Amino acid sequence: MQAPENPILSTSSIQRRRLLAAGVGFAGLALAGCKGGATPNPDPGRLRLVAEARWPHRLHIEGTTAGGLSGIDYDPIRGEYLLISDDRSDLAPVRYYTARWPSPQAAPPESTGVVQLQRPGGGPWPSRRNAVDGLPVPDPEALRLRPATNTLLWTSEGDVARGFGPALYESARDGRFLREFRMPAMFQPDPAKRRGPRDNLTFEGVSLTPDGRFAWLAMENALIQDGPEPAVGAAGGPCRFTRIDLETGQPDRQIAYVPDAIPLRPLVPGSYADNGVSEILMLDADRMLVLERAYATGRGNSLRLYEIDTRAASDVLAVDALAPGNHRPAARTLVADFATLGLSRLDNTEGMCWGPPLPGGRRMLVVVSDDNFNPLQITQFAAFEYADRP
């Protein structure tokens, strides 16, 4: 979810930006380990912290301001990480960064470049100040490398206020636009706001199956017709996770996932709080990791990692509105509560990927936080040793 530091903001983004800054001000820092409400017990020992690092606020890379890092993936051939910024072309055109982190315990990631993602027909995507009729202003959130084609899949939460729904794009490594995937009609905005996506609560995550044939897209929160946003003490409506067949370009399956109720109670009753899905990552052809990220004014962030089996949920692609009794959502197993993992601080973590294998053959899970270009937040990288269930 984006809240850029820019004068051209929607009302909801302005409100979130102010509340976020005020909340950190209340607490001094976002508090790691703050909990509100029941926490299910995670599988012991699934994640072990290997290293933690930060980038300076507003780091300048090749004439751009780095920040808002909301998606990450790793290219094992080049040995580099790809990091997409959720800047809506306000500080610089839509872009992704490259970085190397060969020794996580010894030094922070080193930036190696920036690539501008092009719009259809070429050229940079427009900013909100220079919006073009018939063309959305992307709100980038997640990216994945397609190894078989050496291309990038990346999501936009859409430009809902102007009538453009969330999107999945494919681009060349050099940024050239290749295609946009057709999305089901349920993701189109409704001017009357009785159904469809909520602004800034759409395609927050994307992941590829190991064979590279399918991409899964994860909604941050529920469509309007599927239920409310989460509240303190009450889970919201189910999020739709949609599988795209990359050979045909068509959606072929969709499941429902119900995030937690907001786990943190705001320090000031009635002030801002939220929870939603911030990223997904395939474990194998069918199992998926789901990262939930919550925030409460004056309390900070909560981060919980879950595992689901996509086969255990019913297909809801043809279900117009999700309601109790007309579908079976995915069952979840808690892998880790990040408050227990030894991080110096919890922040707005939105990116997650597999890094290079660790000595002994175990996987390395790497996450990055989106600082919202806010000086009270941080761009935090963390690497973990991941242990699968026996």
Side-chain angles (χ1 to χ4, degrees):
M1 180 180 291
Q2 181 186 16
E5 189 175 6
N6 189 279
I8 306 174
L9 295 171
S10 67
T11 302
S12 61
S13 293
I14 291 173
Q15 182 184 41
R16 177 175 170 81
R17 173 68 172 82
R18 289 173 177 170
L19 287 168
L20 185 59
V24 178
F26 269 124
L29 286 174
L31 302 178
C34 287
K35 298 178 184 177
T39 303
N41 293 323
D43 283 1
R46 298 281 299 274
L47 285 186
R48 182 184 66 82
L49 182 63
V50 172
E52 178 185 355
R54 299 183 186 184
W55 272 2
H57 179 62
R58 287 182 170 265
L59 175 67
H60 290 286
I61 301 174
E62 296 184 7
T64 70
T65 300
L69 302 181
S70 58
I72 185 172
D73 208 3
Y74 179 70
D75 180 353
I77 303 299
R78 301 189 185 185
E80 67 182 9
Y81 290 90
L82 313 175
L83 299 140
I84 196 165
S85 172
D86 68 3
D87 176 15
R88 298 190 68 182
S89 297
D90 293 324
L91 299 176
V94 174
R95 61 203 180 277
Y96 75 90
Y97 295 94
T98 56
R100 296 185 182 277
W101 200 16
S103 303
Q105 293 170 308
E110 178 184 358
S111 63
T112 56
V114 60
V115 178
Q116 187 181 99
L117 292 166
Q118 305 289 299
R119 71 187 195 183
W125 288 91
S127 66
R128 285 171 286 185
R129 181 181 285 109
N130 300 307
V132 176
D133 288 345
L135 189 67
V137 176
D139 183 0
E141 285 296 341
L143 90 166
R144 293 294 171 201
L145 173 67
R146 290 188 68 190
T149 57
N150 196 33
T151 57
L152 296 176
L153 298 173
W154 58 283
T155 69
S156 167
E157 290 204 272
D159 192 352
V160 173
R162 297 178 60 236
F164 298 95
L168 175 65
Y169 301 115
E170 187 166 13
S171 297
R173 286 289 285 268
D174 63 7
R176 288 176 294 114
F177 184 88
L178 299 176
R179 62 170 166 166
E180 177 180 356
F181 294 82
R182 184 180 296 275
M183 290 295 118
M186 66 183 67
F187 294 122
Q188 291 306 306
D190 174 16
K193 298 183 180 179
R194 291 190 293 263
R195 59 183 299 107
R198 294 177 167 92
D199 186 39
N200 209 23
L201 293 173
T202 65
F203 290 166
E204 192 76 17
V206 64
S207 189
L208 288 177
T209 53
D211 63 6
R213 180 179 176 183
F214 298 102
W216 281 94
L217 300 169
M219 290 283 288
E220 181 174 357
N221 270 184
L223 294 173
I224 294 170
Q225 68 268 27
D226 292 338
E229 298 174 51
V232 175
C239 301
R240 295 185 188 242
F241 290 2
T242 307
R243 191 174 74 174
I244 306 295
D245 186 325
L246 297 175
E247 293 181 5
T248 66
Q250 300 298 315
D252 77 330
R253 189 159 186 262
Q254 189 179 78
I255 64 173
Y257 175 91
V258 182
D260 289 331
I262 297 173
L264 302 172
R265 188 174 297 276
L267 191 63
V268 177
S271 56
Y272 186 84
D274 67 3
N275 183 55
V277 174
S278 67
E279 187 58 283
I280 56 174
L281 185 64
M282 297 306 296
L283 279 162
D284 53 35
D286 302 299
R287 294 182 303 139
M288 178 190 294
L289 294 178
V290 181
L291 181 62
E292 293 189 26
R293 176 271 335 271
Y295 173 79
T297 303
R299 298 293 302 281
N301 290 94
S302 167
L303 300 168
R304 293 177 180 172
L305 186 66
Y306 288 93
E307 179 187 325
I308 66 171
D309 190 323
T310 60
R311 296 168 296 186
S314 58
D315 188 349
V316 298
L317 189 57
V319 180
D320 180 65
L322 301 180
N326 71 357
H327 70 286
R328 183 177 67 257
R332 308 177 302 160
T333 299
L334 182 62
V335 173
D337 182 340
F338 277 53
T340 68
L341 299 179
L343 291 165
S344 63
R345 173 175 168 180
L346 300 188
D347 211 286
N348 182 36
T349 297
E350 294 195 354
M352 179 170 66
C353 73
W354 298 119
L358 291 165
R362 280 194 170 177
R363 284 171 154 177
M364 184 166 73
L365 184 74
V366 179
V367 300
V368 66
S369 66
D370 170 2
D371 70 349
N372 288 315
F373 298 96
N374 179 350
L376 297 176
Q377 294 181 255
I378 58 173
T379 297
Q380 177 190 56
F381 297 85
F384 301 92
E385 180 183 75
Y386 175 81
D388 206 349
R389 285 191 291 175

